[in-house]
Amino acid sequence: SNLHIPSLVNQLVGEVQQGNATHQVEVVWRHGARHEIYCDEKLMRNILINLLTNAIKFSPEAERVQLTLGGDRDTFEITVRDRGIGIPAHDLDKLFQSFQRGSNVGTIDGTGLGLSIVKKAVDLLEGTISVKSEEGRGTEFVVRLPQQQRGLDTK
């Protein structure tokens, strides 16, 4: 169905920040980013919630997490960037497998399922996900989803 992204994002950011009052999620809209895309809401929720909660979870206290929404006529782009503990290079290729956790997570809680859920949702939406990370410096996930116009107004 047609998904109104701003209202979904506001709602999810509110939910995510509720339990983490010290963390600020900064939402940035790139010029030309579509506010509506044809997309399954549950899958989009899974992607955003998991990426945002991870970013918060693996960031030091009160460190800002940035959610950037962009794209063009054909692609909707979601970027989640944190300045957290980062992911060791040797963990990156296994990152999206179930129950895989970074070797540096220490005592931070988690099941190791979040990113496999994200990957599944992205695959179902025929998109791509990529990650750049540096240990001790932070992590950036970029999700690109086709707009799946299906004859929708392209305005």
Side-chain angles (χ1 to χ4, degrees):
S1 63
N2 243 357
L3 200 52
H4 187 248
I5 301 292
S7 44
L8 182 68
V9 163
N10 288 343
Q11 186 194 345
L12 295 186
V13 165
E15 282 174 29
V16 165
Q17 285 188 155
Q18 227 166 21
N20 304 280
T22 55
H23 283 82
Q24 181 108 41
V25 177
E26 181 190 4
V27 180
V28 177
W29 284 89
R30 288 236 170 90
H31 178 68
R34 305 264 309 256
H35 283 205
E36 285 208 356
I37 68 167
Y38 191 83
C39 179
D40 181 279
E41 180 175 351
K42 210 169 126 214
L43 294 174
M44 182 64 88
R45 281 183 79 92
N46 279 343
I47 292 169
L48 287 166
I49 284 265
N50 279 294
L51 288 180
L52 288 173
T53 45
N54 266 6
I56 286 173
K57 193 183 344 181
F58 295 109
S59 293
E61 277 306 294
E63 194 59 90
R64 167 170 299 192
V65 167
Q66 196 176 55
L67 168 64
T68 305
L69 302 154
D72 51 35
R73 258 194 62 181
D74 306 314
T75 317
F76 185 70
E77 197 173 279
I78 300 160
T79 305
V80 176
R81 184 185 295 132
D82 68 58
R83 298 194 193 87
I85 62 174
I87 301 160
H90 59 82
D91 291 332
L92 282 174
D93 54 344
K94 303 189 295 285
L95 205 56
F96 297 106
Q97 295 168 16
S98 297
F99 307 116
Q100 284 293 335
R101 304 194 68 212
S103 53
N104 63 332
V105 297
T107 58
I108 300 171
D109 275 353
T111 57
L113 280 174
L115 287 175
S116 67
I117 290 170
V118 170
K119 176 79 169 92
K120 230 168 237 140
V122 169
D123 287 348
L124 286 168
L125 294 172
E126 294 167 24
T128 62
I129 181 166
S130 60
V131 57
K132 284 196 302 235
S133 189
E134 226 181 306
E135 229 178 326
R137 306 270 318 258
T139 303
E140 177 180 284
F141 285 95
V142 180
V143 174
R144 290 188 180 85
L145 302 173
Q147 292 281 14
Q148 295 172 321
Q149 241 90 54
R150 305 212 185 149
L152 289 172
D153 179 4
T154 55
K155 195 161 78 236

